[in-house]
Amino acid sequence: METNRELIRFLTDHAGQLAEDVVERVSGLLGDVTDEELKQARLMYAQLWKALADTLRTGELRVPEALMRWSRSNAAIQTKNSGSIAAVADRYPPSRDAIADLLLEISEQLGVSLKEYAHLSKLVNRFLDLSLQEKYYAYERLSKLYQSDAEDELAELSAPVVPVYDGIVIIPFIGRITDDRAYAIMNKVLPKVAEMNVTCTIADFSGLAAVDDHIMHLLQQVEGALELMGIHVISTGIRPHLAQSIVNSGQALAGRSYYGNVKLALESIIK
């Protein structure tokens, strides 16, 4: 019992130095690590040692919030930089080894039994497992958010709104139109058109990367939505494969007028 109290006091009083020892032992094994990352790691490990002491004192697992914040922060950095979660996960084995070595040194210094040492190691591994789990969950959540934001940006790039005259805009459809991009176009691009008091839209399809029956249906939905908004739609740039898809589908695009290119469409409008 006395050994336990002495261990708790030691972990609490020396949390900062123990954190410094972990970082010093691990930093040389991790490759490129910024000074800010090292600073945050020291703060996190100091809280980890204190949480270990609190857990021993109360008998209840006290997972430090600093550890969870650190885990989420690392996941956010990796996601923002398009990095791999494996790059962060690879840091855990050397951290476990460094902490295990320190626990062994502390146990020998304070006369901690093998059973107590095993219990300490189990608690530390539990902390680190929860940290790694939190990191994976945060990375997955943030990756989905970044992917969603990227899809919205790609959608607007896939169908930019180009004003040419009062009430007239060109929407060039560029690249590959997927379900997600078609949905984003409906929710991002079309409202922008509505705000511009547009009366005529030239939908140019010359930049499409590929067209099949499904994409054809998506394009019909986009043009149909424009028509329902009271906007006259002119279709241009219909290449042979798109024309064939229109014929095969048995349904025309919403545009009531067709021209080979944007120049001819504009001449028909402003003549």
Side-chain angles (χ1 to χ4, degrees):
M1 192 69 175
E2 181 60 35
T3 301
N4 193 46
R5 283 198 293 268
E6 188 177 358
L7 175 60
I8 292 171
R9 186 165 54 250
F10 183 89
L11 295 176
T12 303
D13 293 344
H14 297 84
Q17 183 56 52
L18 290 170
E20 184 67 40
D21 289 343
V22 175
V23 172
E24 183 178 344
R25 297 183 187 200
V26 173
S27 59
L29 305 173
L30 300 181
D32 294 332
V33 181
T34 66
D35 290 341
E36 180 60 27
E37 286 181 298
L38 293 176
K39 177 183 176 181
Q40 293 303 318
R42 292 185 186 96
L43 293 173
M44 182 278 296
Y45 281 121
Q47 290 302 313
L48 185 148
W49 289 111
K50 291 179 181 178
L52 181 59
D54 286 342
T55 298
L56 292 174
R57 182 183 299 110
T58 63
E60 299 178 0
L61 189 67
R62 301 292 182 91
V63 181
E65 177 55 30
L67 176 61
M68 296 295 102
R69 285 199 304 271
W70 180 76
S71 303
R72 293 189 289 267
S73 175
N74 278 326
I77 292 171
Q78 288 301 107
T79 308
K80 183 177 180 181
N81 296 332
S82 300
S84 168
I85 190 64
V88 177
D90 287 345
R91 299 179 180 181
Y92 279 77
S95 298
R96 291 180 193 271
D97 290 344
I99 294 174
D101 290 342
L102 279 170
L103 284 176
L104 183 59
E105 293 170 14
I106 294 168
S107 298
E108 292 175 345
Q109 178 181 338
L110 300 180
V112 174
S113 69
L114 181 61
K115 182 179 179 180
E116 289 172 320
Y117 170 75
H119 180 57
L120 288 172
S121 297
K122 183 177 179 180
L123 289 175
V124 169
N125 283 325
R126 180 61 176 151
F127 286 150
L128 295 178
D129 286 343
L130 289 171
S131 169
L132 186 56
Q133 184 181 63
E134 180 70 13
K135 195 163 297 184
Y136 274 119
Y137 288 158
Y139 182 84
E140 185 175 347
R141 290 193 301 269
L142 291 170
S143 293
K144 289 180 179 179
L145 287 174
Y146 275 102
Q147 183 178 3
S148 176
D149 290 342
E151 279 294 338
D152 286 347
E153 291 179 11
L154 284 172
E156 295 197 47
L157 292 173
S158 299
V161 179
V162 184
V164 285
Y165 293 102
D166 287 342
I168 302 173
V169 298
I170 301 170
I171 302 181
F173 290 86
I174 302 168
R176 187 177 298 276
I177 304 298
T178 63
D179 285 338
D180 288 338
R181 290 188 192 177
Y183 178 81
I185 289 170
M186 297 285 276
N187 288 275
K188 296 280 187 178
V189 177
L190 297 190
K192 185 184 296 185
V193 172
E195 293 173 359
M196 298 170 67
N197 296 319
V198 173
T199 57
C200 180
T201 295
I202 299 174
D204 181 59
F205 302 109
S206 60
L208 285 179
V211 177
D212 56 25
D213 290 344
H214 182 61
I215 294 175
M216 178 66 204
H217 179 66
L218 295 176
L219 295 175
Q220 288 169 337
Q221 287 184 315
V222 173
E223 280 205 342
L226 289 167
E227 287 279 328
L228 289 173
M229 291 162 58
I231 298 172
H232 176 61
V233 179
I234 297 176
S235 301
T236 65
I238 300 177
R239 294 184 291 180
H241 62 282
L242 177 55
Q244 187 63 50
S245 295
I246 294 173
V247 172
N248 292 339
S249 71
Q251 299 181 34
L253 291 167
R256 292 190 291 269
S257 304
Y258 301 87
Y259 291 90
N261 54 54
V262 172
K263 180 176 180 294
L264 293 174
L266 286 173
E267 288 175 352
S268 72
I269 297 171
I270 61 177
K271 65 181 179 180

